[in-house]
Amino acid sequence: MTSEKIGFIGLGLIGGSVAKAIRKYYPTYELIAFDKSRETLALAVQEGIIHTACSSIDDNFRGCSYIFLCAPVAYNTAYLAQLKDLIDSSCILTDVGSVKTSIHEEAAALGLEQNFIGGHPMAGSEKSGFANSKAHLIENAYYILTPSSGVSEEKVTAYRDFVASLKALPVILNYHEHDCITGTISHLPHIIASTLVNFVRDTDTKDELMKALAAGGFKDITRIASSSPVMWQQICLKNSGNISSILGQYIDALKEAKDAVDQGDEKALYTLFESSRDYRNSMPNSSAGPIKKQFAVYCDIIDEAGGIATIATILASNNINIKNIGILHNREFEEGVLRIEFYDEASSAKAAALLQKYRYVVYER
């Protein structure tokens, strides 16, 4: 296997996960990285993910086949200028940000279009940082590539094949189309989740009954509000045009729903919930979109001492790792008393089958 040199600017959740995937599938490749956090670089070296920890963007980055810009969106555009004189014509310069227009415009302004191919692995987690990165985070996740107009077809093909070799699913889009799509299916949901959480906080009772009684359904649809405030601040600033337009359209949709409620319009209300149910149910369960699926089973148990411990023991003795486990006190929208969350779909399916074998009533979702 030919050895290549690959550079990383930033080693957070996504950068760290891409680096770990490369280390897994290409163990002979030389990986170097710059990150503002010395602790992050030290951990990456200690784990054997990178060979060289750089204190700045310097000559260490010469000769790289790929350089991944994995810092927050606003910083990535600034780092392009520092890399311009360090790369040669064969280097593929890419990023992992969920907004593309600004960095494409900067690449064009710097004359880097022959090198730049935007990248966006549509994967993530509520947790951030290199410590939470995993090689399998991008596995079976869509990985959007947005080639510059001046980049060669050979580079695009090479990058697409490289992404596929990391077990991700490459999809090639125009960067304007990418920003519109992600604005709708990723950026808008994060804004909705955050504003909904803040609305409940601001309208809660003095003794916080809303917070105490929040059902599993509420926590599921607002889970992404736990994401990094800095990252989402930058995304909103860099994709402001698309997000503003999309928010305007969504506000119109909310007004239509309010009108249907105000007017007692039975047909409009039924259509609202029927059409959303049908479209939601038509989405494949394996969809590898930007908002990661949770893998959980729900189980009926009797309220007795050791009930949860028994289930945990059954799963542990069969080498099934539990991510989270807890009693559902508000089951207005959920079946089952106990919710058990797992790290992956295979573990969830195996656990469901195993618990059913032990005569537990299990609900999968």
Side-chain angles (χ1 to χ4, degrees), residues 73 77 80 95 97-109 113 116 118-119 146 148 174-182 187 235 237-242:
V73 174
T77 54
L80 277 176
D95 73 321
S98 70
V99 179
K100 287 283 155 279
T101 300
S102 57
I103 196 164
H104 270 275
E105 290 176 347
E106 183 68 12
E113 286 190 296
F116 188 75
T146 58
S148 295
N174 171 276
Y175 66 88
H176 290 297
E177 186 179 18
H178 167 277
D179 283 0
C180 183
I181 290 172
T182 56
H187 307 165
I235 285 171
L237 291 172
K238 290 298 181 180
N239 200 25
S240 59
N242 281 314

Side-chain angles (χ1 to χ4, degrees), residues 49-263:
I49 304 303
I50 65 170
H51 296 91
T52 305
C54 304
S55 57
S56 63
I57 300 174
D58 54 25
D59 284 346
N60 282 298
F61 285 89
R62 294 188 186 276
C64 286
S65 301
Y66 290 87
I67 296 178
F68 288 84
L69 292 159
C70 306
V73 174
Y75 295 106
N76 283 339
T77 54
Y79 287 137
L80 277 176
Q82 297 182 52
L83 289 166
K84 181 177 180 179
D85 295 329
L86 298 175
I87 63 173
D88 57 36
S89 61
S90 65
C91 179
I92 292 176
L93 193 57
T94 187
D95 73 321
V96 297
S98 70
V99 179
K100 287 283 155 279
T101 300
S102 57
I103 196 164
H104 270 275
E105 290 176 347
E106 183 68 12
L110 292 169
L112 289 171
E113 286 190 296
Q114 67 171 351
N115 297 96
F116 188 75
I117 302 174
H120 177 203
M122 300 184 81
S125 168
E126 299 82 55
K127 296 181 178 179
S128 59
F130 180 82
N132 294 298
S133 63
K134 302 174 181 67
H136 65 261
L137 189 72
I138 63 171
E139 187 173 316
N140 293 319
Y142 291 125
Y143 199 121
I144 310 299
L145 307 183
T146 58
S148 295
S149 59
V151 77
S152 69
E153 192 63 38
E154 289 77 14
K155 280 192 174 74
V156 176
T157 300
Y159 191 16
R160 182 194 63 201
D161 292 347
F162 184 52
V163 164
S165 74
L166 301 178
K167 308 303 179 186
L169 307 173
V171 177
I172 297 175
L173 290 177
N174 171 276
Y175 66 88
H176 290 297
E177 186 179 18
H178 167 277
D179 283 0
C180 183
I181 290 172
T182 56
T184 304
I185 64 170
S186 177
H187 307 165
L188 176 65
H190 277 82
I191 293 172
I192 292 171
S194 296
T195 53
L196 180 55
V197 169
N198 286 342
F199 179 77
V200 169
R201 179 202 63 195
D202 295 340
T203 58
D204 205 350
T205 60
K206 288 184 178 180
D207 49 358
E208 296 190 325
L209 273 175
M210 290 187 192
K211 182 178 180 180
L213 298 176
F218 178 84
K219 294 187 75 173
D220 275 353
I221 65 173
T222 59
R223 172 174 52 87
I224 53 178
S226 297
S227 300
S228 165
V230 173
M231 181 178 75
W232 285 100
Q233 173 203 51
Q234 293 298 312
I235 285 171
C236 286
L237 291 172
K238 290 298 181 180
N239 200 25
S240 59
N242 281 314
I243 290 174
S244 178
S245 174
I246 293 162
L247 274 172
Q249 295 173 61
Y250 183 69
I251 289 168
D252 289 341
L254 285 177
K255 287 179 179 176
E256 288 182 12
K258 183 179 185 300
D259 289 343
V261 172
D262 290 344
Q263 296 163 17

